[in-house]
Amino acid sequence: MKYYRFLYGEAGGCLMHFGQIRDTKTEEHFSFLYLRGTSGHVDRESAGHTLFLCPDTVDLAVLGNTDPKASEVLKGLLASAKVRTVVLPEGAVCEVPEKKSKEAPEVIRLAAGEKEAGWQMTAAGWCVYVKSYQSGSVAMAHSLAETDTAGNRFEDCVMSVKTMDGTEKCIREQEPDGYGCALGCTQNHDFDVCKYGRADGPCGYRTGTVLLPALEKGKSLSELKAELRSDLNGKVCGIRFIGMARTAEETDAVRDTGADSMQDGVDAGYKRYFIGAKSELDDRTVAAVSRGGLNHIPVLLDDGKAVCCSGLLKYKESEEA
């Protein structure tokens, strides 16, 4: 089995996305964290809580923008956990320990306009792609890595999506516990069951996430989408979760960002979640998402609120160890 769980939430003025992958066949484990400061007001007296137990080791931490709130949260993470790799946008001010020992993280800095096609890593059969499309921010996307061979390796994929809040932590354990997380917590929450059988083509399993940056004035959402479509081709596909930021004047076009493989104007026939901070997304944006199709689900996060996705991919019996 390949178990996965993702948390999308807001805390302390930051949009937070945490993910863990555990593969019982290969005995691999991969964890990552994305942080982006939002434009909303932060009540410092009430914003100290967390929605999950962070593991002692995080393989990858990505700072989505140069917002001081996000840098502060990342600084706290670096002080309390071992982080193997940190990705920062150009201009980010964050106290990252220098790599003088094995405990210090590798630091990757990404600038907009670079000739390189972004930064990529694959671990536990999961692919993460990060690139800076405009100064001071990065976009991040991830999905199952076996895009060309997944249909030959897996025979089933199922997940549950639940809402969470500060009254109960999403992750009771610091390490994945298999069925207990993937299916067990659905007993106590209303939830969506998402099951998508293998379809023709390389993106049959809809497990992917894309986290979009806030758009600068003069930056077209259509242009950004076209660049993403090109960059993610062959790396990340099967997008189900879309992390949205402030969209400037182009809120009417936001419905197009969630289409499979970033294609335009298509309700692909499966649930997709458009996730953003309540303080950033206006009514026009929410209306555009909702009108894009019955399977388009807008998710507005408030401080201390989160959406949890947990599920599994089942190897075919011929692939089992």
Side-chain angles (χ1 to χ4, degrees):
M1 295 286 190
K2 188 187 295 291
Y3 297 100
Y4 54 89
R5 58 183 178 182
F6 308 126
L7 184 70
Y8 309 82
E10 184 186 5
C14 291
L15 186 72
M16 172 199 66
H17 173 43
F18 179 74
Q20 284 185 303
I21 315 297
R22 176 174 174 252
D23 195 305
T24 59
K25 179 179 181 291
T26 63
E27 297 184 351
E28 293 178 288
H29 174 236
F30 177 45
S31 61
F32 54 87
L33 178 67
Y34 172 92
L35 295 165
R36 178 182 65 79
T38 67
S39 60
H41 172 72
V42 180
D43 183 355
R44 292 295 180 183
E45 293 184 1
S46 63
H49 58 272
T50 181
L51 291 166
F52 71 102
L53 295 174
C54 187
D56 295 330
T57 299
V58 175
D59 296 295
L60 173 66
V62 177
L63 193 63
N65 61 7
T66 58
D67 189 283
K69 299 187 295 292
S71 296
E72 183 180 336
V73 174
L74 177 58
K75 179 182 177 182
L77 173 69
L78 292 170
S80 60
K82 178 182 178 181
V83 181
R84 292 196 169 98
T85 303
V86 177
V87 177
L88 303 172
E90 182 182 23
V93 178
C94 186
E95 298 179 15
V96 178
E98 295 183 6
K99 197 169 182 60
K100 295 181 179 179
S101 68
K102 294 182 179 180
E103 298 299 317
E106 177 183 5
V107 179
I108 308 294
R109 294 184 181 272
L110 299 178
E114 292 182 335
K115 294 182 179 179
E116 292 80 5
W119 181 85
Q120 177 182 345
M121 75 171 294
T122 300
W126 217 259
C127 179
V128 177
Y129 182 80
V130 186
K131 183 177 179 179
S132 178
Y133 292 91
Q134 54 191 20
S135 179
S137 68
V138 297
M140 173 176 162
H142 65 81
S143 74
L144 182 68
E146 299 96 333
T147 54
D148 295 324
T149 60
N152 298 325
R153 301 188 65 196
F154 300 101
E155 64 180 5
D156 203 359
C157 175
V158 65
M159 71 175 73
S160 60
V161 181
K162 295 87 59 182
T163 58
M164 306 297 297
D165 58 37
T167 61
E168 182 178 2
K169 294 184 186 300
C170 177
I171 300 175
R172 294 173 178 269
E173 306 290 339
Q174 289 184 310
E175 299 297 336
D177 58 347
Y179 285 108
C181 173
L183 300 175
C185 69
T186 59
Q187 298 181 62
N188 301 316
H189 300 276
D190 286 339
F191 61 94
D192 290 341
V193 173
C194 298
K195 185 173 182 179
Y196 197 89
R198 177 70 182 176
D200 293 336
C203 294
Y205 297 112
R206 316 298 175 175
T207 58
T209 290
V210 61
L211 300 159
L212 302 172
L215 289 177
E216 296 175 339
K217 288 186 177 180
K219 180 70 174 180
S220 166
L221 181 62
S222 298
E223 292 174 352
L224 173 61
K225 185 175 56 177
E227 291 182 69
L228 269 170
R229 183 192 299 117
S230 176
D231 290 337
L232 297 182
N233 185 35
K235 303 180 183 73
V236 174
C237 69
I239 300 298
R240 186 183 291 273
F241 301 93
I242 301 93
M244 299 164 54
R246 187 178 63 256
T247 54
E249 297 87 4
E250 294 209 39
T251 53
D252 288 337
V254 76
R255 61 184 179 181
D256 295 338
T257 62
D260 178 48
S261 299
M262 311 302 286
Q263 68 185 20
D264 294 334
V266 175
D267 186 344
Y270 59 91
K271 292 178 181 178
R272 288 172 293 173
Y273 300 82
F274 295 76
I275 304 170
K278 185 177 180 181
S279 60
E280 289 190 316
L281 303 186
D282 59 20
D283 292 343
R284 290 182 62 207
T285 304
V286 176
V289 169
S290 300
R291 289 170 179 163
L294 294 177
N295 287 308
H296 290 190
I297 302 172
V299 179
L300 300 181
L301 301 173
D302 205 351
D303 193 61
K305 302 294 175 63
V307 174
C308 175
C309 162
S310 56
L312 57 87
L313 287 144
K314 183 181 183 300
Y315 281 101
K316 290 183 176 179
E317 291 186 5
S318 60
E319 289 284 339
E320 295 286 2

